[in-house]
Amino acid sequence: MNIIFLGPPGAGKGTQSKRLEERYGLVQISTGDMLRAEVARGSDVGNQAKSLMDSGRLVPDELIIAMLKSRIEQPDCAKGFILDGFPRTTGQAEALDTMLTADKKKIDVVLFLDVDEDILADRISGRFTCAKCGATYNEVSNPPKQEGVCDACGSHEFKRRADDKRETVVERLKEYRKLTAPILPFYEKTGRLHKINGMLSTAEVTAQIEAVMAGQ
Ligand SMILES: [Zn+2]
């Protein structure tokens, strides 16, 4: 089973991917990580990509596709993979299909974690952690039992990540929607797009995903 998982930062995609990996024996592939690994390894494609990036140019789709092709031929991908961060454009989506077809493979499912940007921004911007022990809290969904006191260590000091500021989060989410929007029709047209309501609890999101998987 080969999956493309689309979902904005902070919507729980990491947790759900992990569950998919464990439950179905899939391997998550982030094209960004893959590219960095190839460059670090000094492989042919890695060296090509590096010289392009060093001269300030973008790594062309063909090169990413070639890397992806060799990555998914590794034995750990025998049961399938979960693609994260790729494709971003219809051109990339088509090139990916062409490569997979030639390899007698295909993308079976495209999971689109659909969220309400405003509500998600409220959730993310409510996050904070204990400055002493790192325990995580949320103003709305998971506050400390006693206000201002860490449940785990009793500390009174907390901190927030600068990029969890509400305006920053809203911006990040809007950017993500803009980036993803163009490829949705491509997968919808071919009957592979499955919208998952990303605003429900982690367990409910998992249940929706498993229902999609069961229908394959
Ligand atoms: Zn603490």
Side-chain angles (χ1 to χ4, degrees), residues 132-184:
K132 200 173 158 203
C133 76
T136 58
Y137 298 98
N138 189 290
E139 282 166 4
V140 184
S141 59
N142 180 31
K145 288 191 183 71
Q146 192 189 335
E147 199 187 328
V149 184
C150 175
D151 295 345
C153 75
S155 164
H156 294 263
E157 270 180 68
F158 296 93
K159 60 183 179 187
R160 285 168 190 273
R161 282 173 45 177
D163 58 356
D164 279 353
K165 273 219 281 295
R166 198 176 190 287
E167 312 83 82
T168 315
V169 174
V170 169
E171 210 40 56
R172 214 158 68 203
L173 293 172
K174 294 227 161 91
E175 192 54 40
Y176 182 80
R177 186 171 282 269
K178 224 163 50 190
L179 212 62
T180 315
I183 62 167
L184 297 182

